[in-house]
Amino acid sequence: MVVLPRVCILLFMVVSCSAECYIRKPKVDWSSINNVTGHLQGCVDSDGVTHDFNSEWDKDCYNCHCTLFGIKCCNKIPTLIEHPDECEVVVDKKTCSFTLALALDHSKPCPFA
C-alpha cells in the first residue's frame, strides 16, 4: 500500500516542459563580396563566430543550431515546471541544470519530487 501514495505523488508532480526557443535570421552585409561569401559558409552568432551549417553548440544554457534560415536556439532549462507550493525550482546557470528544493530552505530537496 506504500506504493499507491507514491504513485499519486508522482502523478501530481507531472513536469511540463516548455521549450523556449528563438530564431535569429541571418544578416548579410552586402557591402563586399567577402561578406556575402562568408555568409554562405555558415551562421554568424552574436559573438561574431561563424558556425558551419547543420552544426550545434551551447551558449548561455541554450542549445543552438545553424540552418540555412538562421540560428535556432532553445533553452536547455524548462521554463514551466509544475510543483507543490512548498517547493521551488532552483536553477544552476553554470551547469544549466535545475532541482526542486523546499521553498523555505533551498539546501533541502523537495520531498515530493
Side-chain angles (χ1 to χ4, degrees):
M1 286 314 258
V2 175
V3 173
L4 184 58
R6 288 186 180 176
V7 169
C8 290
I9 290 172
L10 285 175
L11 289 175
F12 173 74
M13 290 294 303
V14 172
V15 176
S16 76
C17 298
S18 172
E20 177 184 305
C21 299
Y22 67 89
I23 296 177
R24 201 171 123 211
K25 294 182 180 179
K27 295 179 182 175
V28 181
D29 180 1
W30 296 98
S31 63
S32 76
I33 190 68
N34 290 335
N35 293 334
V36 174
T37 57
H39 169 71
L40 296 176
Q41 295 172 1
C43 303
V44 180
D45 65 18
S46 58
D47 296 328
V49 177
T50 301
H51 299 273
D52 293 334
F53 289 116
N54 297 319
S55 65
E56 291 187 39
W57 67 97
D58 292 334
K59 179 178 168 60
D60 299 331
C61 294
Y62 280 82
N63 178 263
C64 299
H65 182 91
C66 175
T67 72
L68 291 173
F69 304 105
I71 298 173
K72 178 181 179 184
C73 296
C74 293
N75 197 342
K76 294 171 65 175
I77 301 171
T79 55
L80 295 175
I81 300 173
E82 293 182 22
H83 54 80
D85 292 338
E86 301 86 23
C87 301
E88 287 182 343
V89 177
V90 179
V91 175
D92 182 351
K93 290 267 186 175
K94 290 182 181 178
T95 62
C96 298
S97 62
F98 71 95
T99 58
L100 285 176
L102 288 176
L104 298 175
D105 185 356
H106 287 181
S107 67
K108 295 181 181 176
C110 180
F112 306 106

